[in-house]
Amino acid sequence: MIEDVLNFRVHHVFDTSFSRTFSLLESQREFVKRFKRKEQDSKTLPMLTSACPGWICYAEKTHGEMILPYISTTRSPQQMMGSLVKGHFAEQQGLSPQQIYHVAVMPCFDKKLEASRSDFYLNEAETREVDCVITSGEVQKMLEEKNVSLKDVEPAPLDTMFSSVSEDEFLSHSGSGSGGYLHHVFTYAAKQLFGEEVKELTYKTLRNKDFQEVTLEKDGVVQLSFAFTYGFRNIQNLVQKLKRGKSPYHFVEVMACPSGCINGGGQVKPLPGQNPKELLQKVEDLYKEERTLSPEEDTRVAELYQSWLHSVGEERAKELLHTHYHAVEKMINGLTMKW
Ligand code: SF4
C-alpha cells in the first residue's frame, strides 16, 4: 500500500469528482438564478467560474470591485471537500474538526493559496478546512525519492465514502479537463430556462484553441452564449471586453493555465526526451476515456443534500457551499507612485 511506502498512514481516500458534483450543481443553480435576475442587476452576467485560484487571485489583485461581482460564489471542488470533511464527516465520526488532518492532491500550487484563505479557516475550531495541499508532481517526487513506481505498489480497495465509484471504477464528469463547468451549466440552463434537451455541445474556436464558445439558438435568436477562456492572454482579453461592456457571454469558464487544469503547473512533468504536447494529449485522452456521471443523476450527492444540508438550515448550507471574494487594495509607496 502506498502509505507504507510514504511512511504515513492515510485512513480514508476521498475522490474530488464527488465534491465537484456539489460544485457543479451549485454552479448550475446559481447561474439560473442570475439569468432570471439579469434585467434587475447589470452585474449578474456573465457569470465567471470560481474554481481556479490563479484566476481569482488575479481578479482580486488587478480588477477588484469591477470584476468580482461577476464571479460565481460557488466553492471550488477542493473547498467543497473541505466542508464535507471538516463538517459532515467529522460529525459522523464523532470527531472535532481539529482531530482530522485533511490533505488534498491537486494539479497546481495555487491550490495551496486557496486552502490558506481566511474564508476557509474555521475560527471556532481553530483549524483549516484543508490542512495541506500537495500537487500530483510532488506525489511523484515523493515516490521517486523512495525509489517506488506506482506499478509496483499493491492496489488497495477503493474508498466508497465521498467517492464517485461504480463497480470499482471512478466516475468523472463530461466536458473539459477543468471540471466541465461550461458543459454542465449549459445543458442544465438550456433545459431549465428554454426547455431544450442538449445532448451534444458544438464548440466554435475563436482566437485560439483556448478561447471557444457555444451557443443555444432558436429561430436564429441566440438564447445562451457561453465560452471558455484559458490562459492569461485570453483572460485579459475577456476582462477588457467586460470593462467596456462588450462581452457577449452569459457564462465563461475561466482557467489561468493554457489548456486548463490538465496542464496545471503542479502536474507530473514529461520524462526526459518526452514531448510536452504529446504528454498533454495523452493525459487529455485518458481523462476523456473515464466513464462519466451527470451531477443531477448522482443519487449519493442528492441524499447528502437531504440528510446533511437540509439539517443545518439554509443560511449555514449557503456558507458551506459558497464563498466570498475581496478586492486587494493596491499598495502605494514612494517606489510605486507615479509622479
Ligand atoms: S487552471 Fe491551472 S491554476 Fe487554475 S486551478 Fe487549474 S491547474 Fe490550478
Side-chain angles (χ1 to χ4, degrees), residues 71-129:
I71 300 180
S72 158
T73 59
T74 298
R75 284 178 178 229
S76 70
Q78 173 176 289
Q79 295 309 140
M80 284 287 185
M81 190 60 95
S83 281
L84 273 165
V85 169
K86 296 279 178 122
H88 183 64
F89 176 73
E91 211 179 287
Q92 293 275 301
Q93 304 290 311
L95 298 167
S96 77
Q98 246 183 351
Q99 288 175 291
I100 300 171
Y101 194 75
H102 178 195
V103 181
V105 179
M106 286 288 146
C108 67
F109 298 94
D110 288 352
K111 286 280 171 191
K112 297 176 194 257
L113 290 177
E114 182 181 34
S116 68
R117 285 172 75 90
S118 57
D119 307 275
F120 304 129
Y121 186 79
L122 302 171
N123 287 319
E124 226 170 273
E126 297 182 342
T127 182
R128 297 198 181 285
E129 292 178 337

Side-chain angles (χ1 to χ4, degrees), residues 1 6 23 25 56 65 86 100 144 146 153 169 186 194 199 230 239 256 278 289-290 294 304 311 320 324 332 335:
M1 296 234 305
L6 297 176
S23 193
L25 287 169
I56 297 298
E65 298 301 345
K86 296 279 178 122
I100 300 171
E144 278 168 5
K146 300 274 178 185
V153 178
E169 186 182 15
F186 188 88
F194 302 102
K199 292 269 180 260
Y230 297 166
V239 168
E278 272 171 26
E289 261 174 33
E290 288 194 344
S294 145
L304 272 179
S311 71
L320 292 165
H324 305 276
I332 296 186
L335 291 174

Side-chain angles (χ1 to χ4, degrees), residues 41-246:
D41 182 353
S42 63
K43 288 213 161 183
T44 52
L45 295 181
M47 181 169 115
L48 310 174
T49 54
S50 55
C52 170
W55 146 241
I56 297 298
C57 284
Y58 167 78
E60 289 184 324
K61 282 189 188 149
T62 320
H63 302 288
E65 298 301 345
M66 158 64 212
I67 294 292
L68 299 184
Y70 294 107
I71 300 180
S72 158
T73 59
T74 298
R75 284 178 178 229
S76 70
Q78 173 176 289
Q79 295 309 140
M80 284 287 185
M81 190 60 95
S83 281
L84 273 165
V85 169
K86 296 279 178 122
H88 183 64
F89 176 73
E91 211 179 287
Q92 293 275 301
Q93 304 290 311
L95 298 167
S96 77
Q98 246 183 351
Q99 288 175 291
I100 300 171
Y101 194 75
H102 178 195
V103 181
V105 179
M106 286 288 146
C108 67
F109 298 94
D110 288 352
K111 286 280 171 191
K112 297 176 194 257
L113 290 177
E114 182 181 34
S116 68
R117 285 172 75 90
S118 57
D119 307 275
F120 304 129
Y121 186 79
L122 302 171
N123 287 319
E124 226 170 273
E126 297 182 342
T127 182
R128 297 198 181 285
E129 292 178 337
V130 179
D131 296 285
C132 172
V133 178
I134 49 177
T135 66
S136 31
E138 286 171 330
V139 173
Q140 186 193 25
K141 203 160 164 247
M142 288 157 87
L143 292 168
E144 278 168 5
E145 279 167 9
K146 300 274 178 185
N147 250 334
V148 171
S149 160
L150 272 183
K151 280 184 262 165
D152 307 329
V153 178
E154 197 192 318
L158 298 174
D159 214 324
T160 50
M161 199 193 312
F162 299 164
S163 290
S164 304
V165 175
S166 168
E167 292 157 16
D168 250 19
E169 186 182 15
F170 279 115
L171 300 176
S172 185
H173 295 111
S174 302
S176 68
S178 302
Y181 285 85
L182 183 156
H183 181 103
H184 291 288
V185 175
F186 188 88
T187 48
Y188 180 81
K191 181 88 203 296
Q192 294 294 316
L193 297 167
F194 302 102
E196 298 282 341
E197 199 87 50
V198 179
K199 292 269 180 260
E200 209 172 308
L201 276 66
T202 308
Y203 290 87
K204 182 174 153 205
T205 303
L206 300 172
R207 294 171 151 244
N208 48 63
K209 67 169 185 40
D210 276 343
F211 195 173
Q212 301 189 25
E213 65 177 31
V214 181
T215 51
L216 180 75
E217 289 187 34
K218 196 170 187 187
D219 304 326
V221 178
V222 173
Q223 289 167 313
L224 288 176
S225 179
F226 280 34
F228 69 71
T229 170
Y230 297 166
F232 279 109
R233 202 160 46 106
N234 290 324
I235 291 177
Q236 277 165 358
N237 193 283
L238 170 78
V239 168
Q240 290 316 319
K241 279 200 176 138
L242 264 175
K243 282 185 162 174
R244 293 201 299 268
K246 295 213 163 142

